[in-house]
Amino acid sequence: MAKPKVYVTRMICDNGIKMLKDQGYDVKINPLDRVLTRKELLKNVKGIDALLCLLTDKIDGEIMDAAGKNLKIVANFAVGFDNLDLEAAKKRGIMATNTPQGSTEAVAEHAMGLLLASARRIVEADKFTRANKYKGWKPFLFIGEDVHDKTLGIIGLGRIGFAVAARALCFGLKIVYHDVVRNPEFEAKFGGKFMETSDLLKQSDFVTLHVPLMPSTRHLIGKKELALMKKSAYLINTSRGPVIDEKALVAALKKKQIAGAAIDVYEFEPKLSPGLAKLSNIILTPHIASATIETRRKMSEIAAQNIIETLSGKTPVHSLHK
Ligand code: NAD
């Protein structure tokens, strides 16, 4: 019997690759350190049984058809799966999976890092010190704000939102949250208060976004929502770029309608909206919230496991088909 063919769209940690090879699969990996063009992707998927792809690959019906009738699974190397056409996969009887849990803690740590860096002006202060501008202690030099006793508004209390809440409590923050599903267990255990998004925006000193990108969350934060936030508040986004209307964010930060923002993801990724990089009241990181070696290894293992389970005729734990 022919060996199942697996195509990996970009080099990932070798632990997952080893798991696939140990199964006797014929594993091919894109050797280039860049996203494949559409044309390259269409060519490379021909005749494969499994596709291990990244959030930078748009996988739709055309790609699935180019792969052909043997394609059994599209295993996304990410928690978010807005790059996959799930309906197209379902229609063709193709499994689709993601890598939840793998990156929960790392993303929560990054979100807290952005929050702390915003409140304490760490990035600005670093640039200032390197530029040899530090000429002695001053009472108001880089005066920041306390984090403890402030209110953190979490929008999207799923795996990552929950992990952020657990960390934020240790920093003495009060938690309020909004989710489409209320979580009484969280409220009882963490004292987190549920509220509608508009109330959360009005009351929070820090707002952190942890929703998936879907039609209902695109531009969840726009001009109207930014206008509801406190002038002293900070907005943190480690979810997906289009959850914020970036043009509206630039405008709000320009007129100091809010104190600042710290974002890891961009509406037109990897492009930045005009004016964004010129602002001094925003911290920008290049979609690295889950970029720790431990997390990348876990993601590699989970993606490989999803493929192994599917190719052995099982339904993988991380199936995205409802
Ligand atoms: P999750 O599915 O566990 O949680 C998402 C939560 O959002 C759920 O509780 C859901 O009910 C809630 N939600 C959905 N629509 C909502 C709405 N309109 N308003 C309020 N809440 C809503 O997902 P997760 O593991 O916590 O991950 C969240 C997102 O983080 C992912 O979808 C992904 O896009 C993003 N992410 C980013 C990075 C990064 O590197 N920056 C890494 C991992 C995940």
Side-chain angles (χ1 to χ4, degrees):
M1 211 173 78
K3 289 179 179 179
K5 291 189 172 81
V6 181
Y7 188 71
V8 183
T9 61
R10 197 147 181 186
M11 192 60 204
I12 55 169
C13 286
D14 57 3
N15 57 325
I17 303 295
K18 183 174 180 308
M19 284 167 66
L20 296 169
K21 286 186 175 165
D22 285 351
Q23 293 291 317
Y25 303 157
D26 173 5
V27 182
K28 286 210 167 56
I29 306 164
N30 162 23
L32 311 166
D33 187 22
R34 63 162 172 79
V35 180
L36 291 172
T37 63
R38 181 86 181 161
K39 209 170 146 197
E40 288 167 335
L41 189 56
L42 284 165
K43 184 174 158 230
N44 283 304
V45 297
K46 276 202 174 71
I48 61 168
D49 295 84
L51 177 64
L52 198 160
C53 57
L54 274 59
L55 60 89
T56 39
D57 303 311
K58 186 172 162 24
I59 308 298
D60 53 17
E62 190 192 9
I63 299 284
M64 297 171 201
D65 291 340
K69 60 178 177 24
N70 287 345
L71 184 65
K72 291 170 198 66
I73 173 169
V74 173
N76 214 30
F77 183 79
V79 182
F81 48 86
D82 40 281
N83 59 315
L84 305 183
D85 185 339
L86 286 187
E87 277 310 306
K90 206 168 183 179
K91 215 167 92 187
R92 291 163 177 79
I94 298 167
M95 176 50 66
T97 57
N98 65 343
T99 55
Q101 275 113 25
S103 57
T104 301
E105 312 295 327
V107 179
E109 286 169 4
H110 196 74
M112 283 307 293
L114 292 178
L115 186 157
L116 295 169
S118 300
R120 302 305 306 272
R121 303 176 61 183
I122 289 173
V123 177
E124 274 178 88
D126 172 84
K127 282 187 194 143
F128 172 90
T129 314
R130 276 171 204 280
N132 214 15
K133 289 183 182 167
Y134 178 48
K135 303 295 176 205
W137 191 87
K138 282 199 237 175
F140 294 102
L141 184 62
F142 285 104
I143 201 83
E145 288 170 42
D146 279 347
V147 166
H148 64 272
D149 296 335
K150 296 280 168 67
T151 299
L152 172 64
I154 300 177
I155 303 185
L157 192 83
R159 288 173 294 255
I160 298 171
F162 199 96
V164 169
R167 283 155 181 77
L169 280 178
C170 302
F171 278 93
L173 282 148
K174 291 186 215 88
I175 315 285
V176 298
Y177 80 99
H178 179 75
D179 197 293
V180 283
V181 186
R182 209 167 156 166
N183 189 334
E185 199 189 322
F186 170 78
E187 292 171 31
K189 207 168 150 190
F190 286 71
K193 208 165 149 195
F194 174 86
M195 46 181 76
E196 290 308 325
T197 306
S198 54
D199 293 327
L200 179 149
L201 292 169
K202 283 181 204 159
Q203 295 185 29
S204 300
D205 299 297
F206 302 94
V207 174
T208 185
L209 308 176
H210 301 290
V211 292
L213 175 61
M214 305 183 286
S216 58
T217 59
R218 185 173 291 272
H219 286 192
L220 190 73
I221 303 295
K223 189 177 174 196
K224 194 171 113 236
E225 290 72 23
L226 288 160
L228 292 176
M229 289 177 69
K230 291 184 186 178
K231 206 168 181 285
S232 56
Y234 293 88
L235 178 65
I236 318 290
N237 189 17
T238 56
S239 64
R240 282 290 182 266
V243 173
I244 296 180
D245 175 349
E246 222 163 75
K247 198 172 164 200
L249 178 65
V250 172
L253 289 170
K254 252 188 196 160
K255 54 183 178 195
K256 302 208 169 30
Q257 194 175 15
I258 61 171
I263 63 177
D264 183 52
V265 284
Y266 303 87
E267 185 170 1
F268 309 104
E269 212 163 312
K271 285 196 184 114
L272 306 188
S273 285
L276 198 67
K278 291 205 176 85
L279 295 164
S280 58
N281 49 355
I282 189 164
I283 296 173
L284 308 169
T285 57
H287 204 149
I288 54 162
S290 69
T292 68
I293 190 65
E294 296 89 345
T295 291
R296 290 283 183 261
R297 287 186 69 79
K298 269 190 264 168
M299 289 166 69
S300 185
E301 190 182 318
I302 298 169
Q305 191 59 33
N306 286 335
I307 291 177
I308 294 167
E309 282 168 4
T310 305
L311 295 187
S312 4
K314 296 181 195 141
T315 302
V317 184
H318 304 302
S319 164
L320 290 170
H321 294 319
K322 297 279 177 285

